[in-house]
Amino acid sequence: MLDARYLRENLDTVEARLKSRGEGVNIALFRELDGRRRELLQQSETLKALRNKVTEEISRLKDKSQGDERKLQMREVSQQIKGIDESLKAVEEELQAFLLTVPNIPHPTTPLGKSELDNVVVRTWGDEPELNFAPKPHWEIGEQLGILDFERGAKLAGARFTLYRGAGARLERALINFMLDLHTEQHKYIEMLPPFMVNRECMTGTGQLPKFEEDLFHLEGVDFFLIPTAEVPVTNIHRGEILKGSELPISYVAHTPCFRKEAGSYGKDTRGLIRQHQFNKVELVKFTAPDRSYEELQILLGHAEEVLRRLNIRYRVVELCTGDIGFSSAKTFDIEVWLPGQNCYREISSCSCFEDFQARRAGIRFRPEEKAKPEFVHTLNGSGLAVGRTVVAVLENYQQADGSVLIPEALRPYMGGLERIS
RNA sequence: GGAGAGCUGGCCGAGUAGGUCGAAGGCGCUCGCCUGCUAAGCGAGUAUACUGGGAAACCGGUAUCGAGGGUUCGAAUCCCUCGCUCUCCGCCA
């Protein structure tokens, strides 16, 4: 959410910069609501000041009957206040509803562009595997090895659900443990295991609501949502809190399943593990002081990249353009992993700086100094990594001519020493 | 699911025959004094948001005692609804 006061004072700039996302802002609506709000607020507060004053006078009267006349007047005033406050509440709700649908302002360095076609490749790491045969897509490898069962996954739940079997299930679990150990032991993140369903406040805090409700699974009977990413519960850990400046940056890592309806992506990536309704992800989340956030973004990105380096899988880092960054993001780098079976790069991580956008929605602040005024923190997060897609990358990059798959060395300790799935 | 207790400032904790309570007191913290150092001691200060004025320092107003509503001239204090925490019983992984 943008700061109403900032918006009031910088309407034109904000409008121009949101335009680069391909988003229009209803400036006239904002002006009107904001103006009406302040007008009503002043009316209400003036009357309340009067009432408080008279009320205090009444309380000081020794002869109680003397106050009767003023009580009658104040009854009138209270009625007026009530009426004004009702209008005020309505206006504030409208204003809030409006502000919650305005996306974040892209960082000035975020490349201008309309779609993913305008994203910028920042760097590429690693080599393509030398495969002197026609590489297969992971769904063929997985089915032939009997470690991925798409048909039975569909039987259990439906399309976009997969049953992992044997070494496949183990591989998923190995990757989760490998990533968590890397981030906690080497990168010094604190491991968290949050609830997998959250309330509406959390979803609003990180920006999924109110605009993207159709992408979320909602439970029947209770107002809970299944989390689409650990970003939601983990960022909301500090919702409504004032942190100490000295404890920043705070770095959390969490593995959770993620649940997404994938509405609007019918027919896309229908084969294999790429686009599932449920998938595992290891997520990195940081809370930082505003002046450190972009440094921390580079660090966080590096931590996510490190997973693929250790697995020795080729990837590239892409900087998303203004037209492609997410609703809450000011700047985003995607990590795209090379998939020989599909002869393309696929997103495996998305690392973003949200500046104070989520912090303002969720009320996450810090005191720079012991007695200083609280300021909003900056929040960041990135996948470190999407586990299902990492399985895809391992299967496709480590496949052998005979249909077996080598286990990357870094993973072998997590696979009970297994060197090859065959 | 049943019965009960509770939710006050960074923390602990007063405060119900409604009035001067943003809220005693303590701890913590900050600054100053004192003191070879530290500790102890002494003094002062120590919430947040919105809003008006001001270049600013700052000054004023309003709101906030889990959340929302009600009664009242006036509510931390009374009434209602909801949330959360805790204890006991039942059920269950």
Side-chain angles (χ1 to χ4, degrees):
Chain A
M1 186 166 62
L2 304 182
D3 181 15
R5 209 176 329 173
Y6 176 82
L7 190 54
R8 189 186 301 151
E9 286 158 14
N10 303 277
L11 264 180
D12 296 339
T13 325
V14 172
E15 186 188 29
R17 291 178 63 189
L18 289 181
K19 219 172 185 173
S20 71
R21 277 177 169 273
E23 282 279 335
V25 221
N26 192 341
I27 283 193
L29 177 67
F30 172 77
R31 276 222 171 88
E32 199 215 319
L33 291 174
D34 183 57
R36 256 173 48 211
R37 170 178 173 268
R38 281 189 294 164
E39 198 179 304
L40 288 167
L41 190 65
Q42 279 173 50
Q43 287 176 18
S44 169
E45 290 189 347
T46 305
L47 289 176
K48 281 175 184 166
L50 172 69
R51 184 180 67 186
N52 286 347
K53 203 179 124 212
V54 175
T55 283
E56 200 199 314
E57 285 167 14
I58 292 173
S59 75
R60 275 198 302 237
L61 289 177
K62 285 171 189 158
D63 180 356
K64 286 161 203 158
S65 63
Q66 278 186 330
D68 288 353
E69 184 189 336
R70 277 183 273 194
K71 281 185 192 174
L72 275 172
Q73 286 171 359
M74 286 308 108
R75 182 180 299 180
E76 195 65 31
V77 168
S78 280
Q79 283 308 313
Q80 281 181 45
I81 291 173
K82 204 171 172 184
I84 294 168
D85 279 352
E86 271 166 24
S87 316
L88 180 63
K89 195 179 165 192
V91 170
E92 282 186 331
E93 277 169 5
E94 249 186 285
L95 188 63
Q96 185 72 358
F98 165 78
L99 287 172
L100 285 174
T101 61
V102 179
N104 201 1
I105 301 169
H107 190 268
T109 62
T110 293
L112 293 174
K114 285 183 178 160
S115 74
E116 59 182 349
L117 297 174
D118 300 313
N119 293 344
V120 177
V121 176
V122 176
R123 61 178 164 271
T124 303
W125 184 93
D127 302 314
E128 288 182 31
E130 287 175 34
L131 304 174
N132 45 16
F133 56 91
K136 291 182 281 196
H138 69 278
W139 54 86
E140 283 180 22
I141 302 166
E143 278 178 332
Q144 279 161 17
L145 289 171
I147 57 173
L148 296 178
D149 191 337
F150 298 103
E151 272 184 36
R152 288 199 178 98
K155 174 161 75 178
L156 296 176
R160 298 201 192 283
F161 288 93
T162 301
L163 174 67
Y164 289 64
R165 177 177 179 275
R170 180 87 191 251
L171 179 59
E172 179 97 0
R173 179 160 58 91
L175 282 166
I176 293 165
N177 286 331
F178 166 66
M179 293 180 198
L180 285 174
D181 285 352
L182 174 66
H183 296 311
T184 55
E185 290 165 13
Q186 305 299 314
H187 302 149
K188 303 302 174 197
Y189 287 68
I190 298 168
E191 184 172 349
M192 290 287 177
L193 181 56
F196 301 159
M197 47 182 101
V198 297
N199 56 33
R200 208 164 265 280
E201 288 70 46
C202 288
M203 287 295 184
T204 307
T206 34
Q208 280 72 22
L209 291 180
K211 269 191 131 174
F212 306 103
E213 186 153 1
E214 70 278 7
D215 292 329
L216 301 171
F217 286 105
H218 183 255
L219 300 205
E220 209 173 299
V222 279
D223 200 13
F224 290 149
F225 296 88
L226 296 183
I227 57 171
T229 158
E231 161 192 352
V232 177
V234 176
T235 304
N236 277 281
I237 287 171
H238 295 300
R239 177 156 49 90
E241 295 184 8
I242 300 175
L243 305 167
K244 285 182 192 158
S246 57
E247 59 187 337
L248 300 179
I250 295 173
S251 304
Y252 293 141
V253 59
H255 154 248
T256 71
C258 304
F259 304 92
R260 297 183 182 179
K261 277 196 176 169
E262 296 296 346
S265 61
Y266 305 111
K268 252 171 138 186
D269 305 316
T270 49
R271 304 203 71 181
L273 286 177
I274 292 292
R275 197 172 295 277
Q276 301 275 291
H277 286 310
Q278 174 189 323
F279 60 95
N280 288 300
K281 186 154 59 69
V282 170
E283 185 77 3
L284 307 171
V285 175
K286 278 178 187 276
F287 302 82
T288 81
D291 57 341
R292 292 258 327 146
S293 55
Y294 282 93
E295 261 172 88
E296 290 291 342
L297 177 60
Q298 293 303 327
I299 293 169
L300 184 146
L301 175 62
H303 291 156
E305 288 177 65
E306 184 63 18
V307 176
L308 288 174
R309 290 200 197 106
R310 294 203 177 201
L311 294 174
N312 198 23
I313 297 175
R314 178 180 171 85
Y315 68 87
R316 66 182 188 187
V317 174
V318 171
E319 184 168 3
L320 301 197
C321 72
T322 50
D324 202 28
I325 56 173
F327 175 78
S328 301
S329 175
K331 189 176 198 64
T332 297
F333 293 96
D334 276 4
I335 300 173
E336 297 182 342
V337 71
W338 174 247
L339 298 180
Q342 297 163 64
N343 197 38
C344 66
Y345 286 97
R346 291 303 301 247
E347 176 190 339
I348 199 168
S349 172
S350 196
C351 301
S352 303
C353 177
F354 304 95
E355 299 190 356
D356 63 8
F357 187 84
Q358 294 181 325
R360 181 171 289 110
R361 289 176 159 241
I364 308 169
R365 293 176 292 171
F366 78 108
R367 266 183 232 282
E369 303 292 336
E370 196 71 52
K371 293 191 66 184
K373 272 224 165 67
E375 292 176 34
F376 289 111
V377 299
H378 280 193
T379 59
L380 332 179
N381 69 53
S383 348
L385 307 163
V387 181
R389 290 187 179 185
T390 310
V391 167
V392 169
V394 168
L395 295 181
E396 295 200 8
N397 282 277
Y398 282 86
Q399 61 180 305
Q400 305 297 304
D402 63 0
S404 67
V405 172
L406 285 178
I407 305 293
E409 272 183 47
L411 276 187
R412 290 181 189 171
Y414 293 91
M415 293 292 286
L418 191 69
E419 294 179 10
R420 179 191 294 266
I421 303 174
S422 51

